[in-house]
Amino acid sequence: MSAWRWGKRIGRWGSFLGFTAPALLLILFFIILPALQTIALSFTDREGAFVGLRNFAQVLSDPDTFNLTGFPPGPPPWGSIVHNAVWILLHLPLTVGLGLILAVLLDRARGATFLKSIIFLGMVTPMIVGGVIIRFLFDENAGVVTAILRAVGLTELGRSWTAYPETALPALILGSVWLWVGFSMILYSAGLATIPRDYYEAAAVDGAGPLQQFWYITIPSLRPVTMVIVAMTVLWELKIFDIVYTATLGGPGGATMVLALQMYFYAFRALEFHRAATVATLLTLFTLIVGLWFVRTTRSSE
Amino acid sequence: MKRIGFALVVLMLAVSACVPAATPTPERIVETRVIERTVPVEKTVEVTKVIPTLTVIGPWAGAEMDQFLPVLKAAEQKLGVQIRYRIYRAEDLSQVLPPQFEAKQAPGDVIFMWDWWIQKNKDHAVDLTDLWQKEASQFVLQPSTVDGRVYAVPYVLFVKPGFWYKKSFFQKHNLKPPTTWEEFLALLDQISKVPGIKKAIISGDGVGWPLSDIVEHFLITFGGPELQENLIAGKVRFTDPQVRAIFAERLVPLLGKYFSDPVEWTQAVDLWWNEEYGLFFMGNWLTGMVKDPNDLGVFTLPGARGVVGGTDWAFIPKYSENVEAAKQLVAFLISKEGMEIRARQGGKLASRKDISPDVYPPADRALAEALAKIERPNVPDLDDTVGGDWQRLFWDQLKLLWVRPQALDSVLRTLDARFPTR
């Protein structure tokens, strides 16, 4: 290889490093190193001695993490991992489904921008405030939801939802659907705008009804958007903290404990940083699985 | 030529830099003397005095903050400092302070915090032993110590005296404070029958601490202050038959029938004051939160020999830039003068013995006089003293017990299994 080519290659690498080094250094010192330190901490005890997987065994055997003794039909607590899983199982389909329905219904409707703005308000509300609002929405004395339920004769559900173990988790999940649905609706609205109208016109000429158009044109065309929404929503559900912190603090009786809150309690109430690091490592592992799935699915669809 | 000139300039600058700037020349001294002798004018000497600005961090907001600010105002005038007050609950400080301390930083110069937490973090706190010893004999409370050294001092006293009621409500419905357990149950029945009343007692909630205060009052009343102290020390277990009996026979039977579901406690104040509920268990800071404190009455559970009394603990982080000024402020806060100013505002009682009851507003004065008849008005707070994650667990398990009384044994087992000394 000629010296000229070598010089060109070195120059190219030099520019690449010159432009990326500031960002890479920041990522290295503020993200990668602390993450590695956290992972290392999860394998040590209070004194910093290596203990292998002992912390993981202790955390996973803690009833706050995993407790299936009362699993359905019994009410929570079922442990933070199960609560996070329930959150994903209920919140994800509701958010994705409602977001899609709202986006389709409000597509080209009169006053759609105004209605979308109102629905999107939940997303711009700080989640800490969102938690307080959820608490009051489902409060016996001040709640709108409980007042409506009492008005339609469901008096048993007219009490404070966050006070009872069987209703506290559903209250938080339903409240978080309200907070998060604006996100999926806006993304679906943007996705709908990219579908060529010709598809629908051609389908109509061929005799396809609105439902068939929705099923065979809208849903497949929105697949990339759906993947983004699913990935982002699952990641948000895994690291959910602020809503639970302000609405119930994980109670009553641990019925709404989630992994991120458990990590917080280990670190800042029990001052057991190695256990907090263990939960953080578990959370990282779970989010990594979702992230890898997302990357692989995106690549394969490309 | 240019180079020589440049070198000369550099040389001159270097030489001039070596001469101390503050050293006056002899000629100037002579000249000054002459002026001072011949022209006797009045001179104004400008002294630049740096006024330290202290940051005080405390948990009090709203009415409680309004009662505390006059003390800081007085301290500003007396000590010649400026003081900023910031609100942080202890729960939030427990999250904020550790990383700040690791970075040798402090968000405040005087911080009010849990004493167990300060003891665990005493390496970051200033030793206040000398400051405390000057006042020690005047206090009804002990300071927060580790190995005999004082790291936090107690401020004003709060007590959890029992069930509050509106005198006007009791008069209107011909109700009387009970003197026996049977009268207490009868009173609850009477209140429940008053039209418009939802439940006899409203249960305050927040993160759960108001419920723990109720439970502690039952434990102290039926097990004595010693039981509470033994529970704190881990000498008696939560699964002990005596403890279980108090829960099972005294508290649990009342939960569904007379106590409401947990209601956010500041909201509960309004609901109770609007006479939707008859009684409300709360600390004495309630006197500063109602429209007419003179309409307040309070009674303990019949037979109670003690009530929980506690305080907020002030400490100075080592990383304060104004440690000496902060020490002066702490000394002022716990001095007779500082304590009197705070007591005058109401909502808290002085923790010094030399404060006359006359300084209190009427409602607080009545409370202070009533407490004087109680054998132990300052039994340590169970969850505040044990602290740590168990404190949160205690609150959380009680929230569960309040709506699931049948979970009593599971609650007691959980509290016992997770107690720090187990």
Side-chain angles (χ1 to χ4, degrees), chain B residues 35-44:
Chain B
I35 290 168
E36 282 181 351
R37 283 177 186 172
T38 54
V39 188
V41 291
E42 206 173 290
K43 288 201 296 184
T44 306

Side-chain angles (χ1 to χ4, degrees), chain A residues 64 164 166 251 253-254 269, chain B residues 261 391-392 396 399 404 418:
Chain A
D64 274 354
Y164 287 83
E166 58 268 38
R269 296 307 298 265
Chain B
D261 283 351
Q391 183 180 40
R392 179 208 50 92
D396 192 40
K399 284 202 283 185
R404 285 280 168 276
R418 305 273 287 272

